[in-house]
């Protein structure tokens, strides 16, 4: 820690599924306290209890990716403005290669708090199938009586997902035009992040 003052430190405690459910929180806290006991006061790590059998590993890595973005605040503000302009109920940015969440504008108290992890897995499988057929995945639209969802390539490093619940008759062309118009703003933020991470 002498040469990395202020560095982000992340600790993932794996295989938490092997601990009895009613003991997991206590086991996690004991592990966290052991790590804190050997760390210096200025280097407090972010700790995560994870398992490959649930969404915890995805959530941990999404949080880590988000925290490592040098300009995450600007990305979130731009995403909120974009969601407000389009009157979208939810807007997400996914990292292109892993489909981890980078930033979100989401409904509070949604009945399925793990929906984005599930969507990520579905889209990754679909992308994998496209790749096996020598096709590139560029966009996807899902439309039914309850919602409309658009997933599209956004910047060089991200995909964007927009969800509309109130207006399921919204035009695909209008959404694609708005995504195209917003792209330059997010690419500018992304290039600032990359420049900042190199300096």
């Amino acid at each position: 820690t002498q040469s990395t003052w202020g560095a982000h430190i992340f600790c993932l405690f794996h295989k938490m599924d092997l601990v009895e459910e009613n003991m997991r929180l206590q086991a996690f806290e004991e592990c966290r306290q052991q790590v804190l006991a050997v760390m210096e006061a200025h280097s407090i790590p972010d700790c995560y209890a994870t398992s490959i059998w649930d969404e915890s590993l995805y959530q941990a890595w999404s949080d880590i990716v988000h925290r490592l973005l040098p300009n995450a605040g600007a990305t979130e503000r731009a995403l909120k403005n974009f969601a407000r302009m389009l009157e979208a109920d939810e807007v997400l940015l996914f990292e292109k290669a892993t489909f981890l969440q980078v930033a979100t504008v989401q409904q509070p108290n949604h009945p399925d708090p793990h929906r984005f992890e599930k969507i990520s897995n579905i889209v990754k499988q679909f992308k994998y199938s496209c790749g096996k057929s020598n096709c590139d995945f560029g966009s996807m639209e899902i439309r039914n009586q309850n919602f409309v969802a658009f997933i599209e390539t956004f910047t060089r490093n991200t995909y964007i997902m927009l969800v509309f619940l109130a207006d399921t008759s919204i035009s695909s062309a209008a959404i694609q035009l708005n995504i195209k118009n917003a792209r330059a703003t997010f690419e500018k933020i992304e290039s600032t992040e990359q420049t900042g991470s190199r300096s």
Side-chain angles (χ1 to χ4, degrees):
T1 57
Q2 291 175 346
S3 61
T4 56
W5 183 274
H8 293 287
I9 299 171
F10 304 100
C11 296
L12 280 69
F13 304 115
H14 294 303
K15 298 193 176 186
M16 291 302 283
D17 54 288
L18 299 178
V19 180
E20 288 195 37
E21 196 168 347
N22 62 337
M23 300 296 292
R24 285 182 194 161
L25 189 58
Q26 180 184 339
F28 169 70
E29 190 55 35
E30 287 171 5
C31 291
R32 196 176 80 79
Q33 289 303 324
Q34 288 175 14
V35 169
L36 291 175
V38 297
M39 300 297 294
E40 295 180 27
H42 62 270
S43 299
I44 299 173
D46 292 299
C47 298
Y48 304 88
T50 63
S51 166
I52 63 167
W53 301 110
D54 61 24
E55 292 82 7
S56 59
L57 196 55
Y58 178 90
Q59 290 170 335
W61 279 111
S62 288
D63 190 51
I64 290 167
V65 167
H66 177 77
R67 287 171 182 254
L68 292 176
L69 290 176
N71 212 356
T75 301
E76 286 181 338
R77 284 189 298 276
L79 202 64
K80 284 178 184 170
N81 288 337
F82 188 48
R84 190 169 40 251
M85 280 180 9
L86 295 183
E87 298 180 353
D89 293 283
E90 297 188 322
V91 183
L92 290 90
L93 287 182
F94 291 104
E95 195 275 327
K96 206 167 205 170
T98 61
F99 240 78
L100 292 168
Q101 288 173 241
V102 175
T104 62
V105 175
Q106 59 185 299
Q107 284 191 311
N109 306 316
H110 192 279
D112 185 0
H114 303 297
R115 65 199 177 282
F116 303 137
E117 294 87 353
K118 294 172 185 174
I119 291 166
S120 173
N121 283 326
I122 291 166
V123 175
K124 278 191 287 190
Q125 289 301 316
F126 185 72
K127 276 179 64 181
Y128 178 71
S129 298
C130 290
K132 283 173 50 175
S133 303
N134 292 323
C135 299
D136 288 330
F137 172 74
S139 65
M140 176 187 291
E141 179 179 332
I142 303 160
R143 187 181 291 267
N144 65 29
Q145 69 271 16
N146 299 316
F147 71 91
V148 180
F150 299 89
I151 301 173
E152 188 164 322
T153 302
F154 195 45
T155 66
R156 194 163 49 104
N157 297 311
T158 62
Y159 280 93
I160 191 165
M161 182 174 89
L162 298 105
V163 178
F164 297 87
L165 302 172
D167 183 9
T168 57
S169 65
I170 194 159
S171 160
S172 303
I175 294 304
Q176 289 171 340
L177 181 62
N178 280 298
I179 289 172
K180 181 182 176 185
N181 291 338
R183 191 171 278 127
T185 299
F186 285 87
E187 284 175 343
K188 185 177 178 184
I189 294 168
E190 197 173 275
S191 67
T192 303
E193 288 172 351
Q194 290 166 352
T195 303
S197 65
R198 283 195 295 268
S199 58

